[in-house]
């Protein structure tokens, strides 16, 4: 599966700062100082609907991570998946009387278009669950043969008790885990499971649903968590720098995935930092496909909204915050974009060297994008009322905003 084209990232004078970021597992801020190549895995979409603002906010956060690392003169090895076969996708296809593969391909293509418009840097490896199946089957067989998985009516489940570090990503108690498991795709009430929290690794073929050859597992399709584990281990190995996604993935998805990988490799942890973006609400409720309260990036673009304004709207909130999308949020972003463009369109201006460092400092401090925007706002306010004589300043500000915030002026 191919990703989307990369926009050019301008080089800035000097060098950026190492990233300090909040780690869900330790509930504290840690400093990440990768080697020459920083490694990040971000969980992708289940393509049964278009990209909504909640998706865009999540991928914006991890785009900032990439930009901070690139500014430190590192390379970035970024991997993202597409869950192109799963229950929600099959249910939507059945509801709309569509072929599930055509639905997945269409929505994945639209996602690529949205990411391109928003200037999100693409992953080096963009892998669909279906194409990962040949690598998933051997992992499930290894877990089963090691006694870390068991069969139940043809399905194969992972035993969470096989991992002594289970629970160290989300730090939730058993009751909270059970409630979230039921809410987020698990089946804690299924009879016969050794532990209600045990997640499915391989689902035996169901009538009328797609299935693949699973070798000794029989025909079926993979569970949700093992998909990302197989892709991450194949392309990044263990103890990569960041495992990322929305805050609703901390449990069960990232918790279970970490346990799968840790049992498979005997290493701990799977990732140095587990980083989670907040949820976006609309009309007082979390934006979600199940509730249907969605604002689509593609719809905003069709309505003539500049993608740079959409991106500024996302950047105006800290990535870990839960916030609400409103017309006022977008209007403020549109106005900000107009001011910034007016300021950099002048032939000269006030010096901007300190601005570069202010934006770097803000983003290295747990991706504090609102502080970075405020720094640019202060320069813009001075620029619009002053008679500066630095001919290089407007260009330097444009390159800084592009390189570090992904906004083209």
């Amino acid at each position: 599966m191919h990703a989307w084209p990369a926009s050019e990232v301008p080089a800035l004078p000097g060098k950026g700062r190492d990233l300090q970021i909040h780690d869900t597992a330790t509930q504290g801020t840690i400093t990440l100082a990768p080697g020459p190549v920083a490694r990040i895995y971000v969980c992708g979409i289940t393509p049964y609907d278009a990209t909504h603002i909640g998706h865009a906010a999540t991928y914006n956060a991890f785009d900032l991570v990439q930009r901070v690392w690139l500014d430190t003169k590192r390379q970035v090895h970024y991997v993202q998946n597409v869950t192109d076969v799963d229950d929600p996708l099959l249910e939507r296809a059945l509801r709309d009387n569509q072929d599930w593969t055509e639905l997945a391909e269409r929505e994945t293509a639209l996602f690529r278009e949205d990411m391109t418009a928003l200037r999100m840097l693409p992953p080096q490896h963009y892998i669909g669950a279906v194409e990962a199946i040949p690598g998933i089957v051997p992992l499930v067989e290894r877990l089963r043969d090691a006694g870390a998985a068991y069969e139940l009516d043809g399905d194969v489940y992972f035993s969470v008790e096989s991992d002594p570090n289970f629970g160290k990503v989300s730090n939730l108690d058993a009751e909270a885990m059970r409630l979230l498991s039921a809410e987020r795709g698990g089946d804690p009430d299924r009879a016969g499971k050794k532990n209600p929290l045990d997640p499915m690794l391989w689902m035996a073929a169901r009538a009328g649903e797609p299935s693949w050859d699973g070798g000794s597992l029989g025909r079926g399709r993979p569970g949700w968590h093992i998909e990302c584990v197989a892709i991450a281990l194949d392309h990044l190995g263990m103890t990569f720098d960041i495992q990322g996604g929305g805050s609703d993935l901390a449990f069960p998805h990232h918790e279970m995935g970490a346990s799968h990988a840790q049992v498979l490799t005997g290493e701990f942890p799977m990732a140095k930092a587990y980083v989670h973006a907040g949820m976006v609400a609309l009309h007082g409720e979390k934006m979600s496909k199940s509730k249907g309260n969605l604002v689509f990036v593609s719809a905003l673009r069709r309505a003539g909204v500049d993608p740079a304004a959409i991106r500024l709207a996302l950047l105006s909130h800290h990535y870990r915050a839960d916030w609400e999308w409103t017309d006022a949020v977008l209007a403020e972003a549109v106005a900000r974009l107009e001011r910034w463009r007016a300021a950099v369109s002048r032939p000269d201006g006030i010096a901007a060297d300190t601005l570069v460092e202010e934006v770097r400092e803000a983003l290295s401090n747990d991706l504090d994008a609102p502080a970075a925007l405020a720094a640019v706002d202060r320069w813009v306010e001075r620029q619009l009322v002053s008679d500066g004589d630095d001919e290089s300043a407007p260009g330097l500000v444009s390159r800084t905003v592009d390189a570090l915030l992904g906004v083209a002026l």
Side-chain angles (χ1 to χ4, degrees), residues 103-134:
L103 174 61
E105 289 171 1
R106 184 182 71 243
E107 298 302 332
T108 302
L110 182 54
F111 176 76
R112 292 189 189 99
E113 293 173 11
D114 289 336
M115 294 296 100
T116 303
L118 292 172
R119 297 175 66 81
M120 303 290 184
L121 298 175
Q124 281 68 43
H125 297 284
Y126 193 50
I127 311 296
V130 172
E131 65 184 302
I133 288 174

Side-chain angles (χ1 to χ4, degrees), residues 110-178:
L110 182 54
F111 176 76
R112 292 189 189 99
E113 293 173 11
D114 289 336
M115 294 296 100
T116 303
L118 292 172
R119 297 175 66 81
M120 303 290 184
L121 298 175
Q124 281 68 43
H125 297 284
Y126 193 50
I127 311 296
V130 172
E131 65 184 302
I133 288 174
I136 293 172
V137 170
L139 298 189
V140 177
E141 290 175 328
R142 281 171 52 191
L143 288 169
R144 180 200 59 193
D145 295 346
Y150 59 94
E151 292 189 15
L152 178 60
D153 298 329
D155 300 327
V156 181
Y157 280 87
F158 175 76
S159 174
V160 297
E161 294 173 3
S162 65
D163 177 25
N165 292 299
F166 176 73
K168 290 185 178 179
V169 173
S170 61
N171 299 295
L172 298 173
D173 61 38
E175 182 57 27
M177 287 183 180
R178 182 167 183 148

Side-chain angles (χ1 to χ4, degrees), residues 156-327:
V156 181
Y157 280 87
F158 175 76
S159 174
V160 297
E161 294 173 3
S162 65
D163 177 25
N165 292 299
F166 176 73
K168 290 185 178 179
V169 173
S170 61
N171 299 295
L172 298 173
D173 61 38
E175 182 57 27
M177 287 183 180
R178 182 167 183 148
L179 290 173
L180 287 176
S181 177
E183 179 184 322
R184 297 174 179 173
D187 55 358
D189 297 323
R190 182 174 180 179
K193 292 174 62 175
K194 294 181 178 180
N195 185 311
L197 299 176
D198 290 346
M200 190 177 293
L201 292 167
W202 186 257
M203 177 186 290
R206 267 59 165 174
E209 295 187 2
S211 63
W212 290 264
D213 180 11
S216 67
L217 306 174
R219 290 196 65 83
R221 57 184 169 94
W224 178 26
H225 317 303
I226 193 64
E227 163 198 345
C228 285
V229 171
I231 296 169
L233 291 181
D234 185 31
H235 294 283
L236 297 175
M238 281 293 281
T239 321
F240 51 90
D241 296 289
I242 287 179
Q243 165 82 75
S247 59
D248 55 348
L249 296 186
F251 188 91
H253 190 49
H254 290 166
E255 188 75 73
M256 298 302 183
S259 283
H260 294 353
Q262 285 151 193
V263 172
L264 280 164
T265 65
E267 299 178 37
F268 174 84
M270 182 183 183
K272 295 175 184 175
Y274 291 88
V275 180
H276 296 104
M279 297 289 102
V280 182
L282 181 70
H283 305 316
E285 290 191 292
K286 184 188 91 168
M287 203 176 287
S288 69
K289 295 175 183 178
S290 61
K291 293 178 180 177
N293 59 335
L294 303 176
V295 175
F296 295 112
V297 171
S298 55
L300 292 172
R301 292 196 292 116
R302 285 195 301 271
V305 178
D306 192 320
I310 300 173
R311 179 133 188 174
L312 280 174
L314 303 174
L315 290 164
S316 67
H317 300 84
H318 191 273
Y319 81 96
R320 285 196 289 117
D322 295 335
W323 55 280
E324 183 157 4
W325 177 268
T326 64
D327 291 341

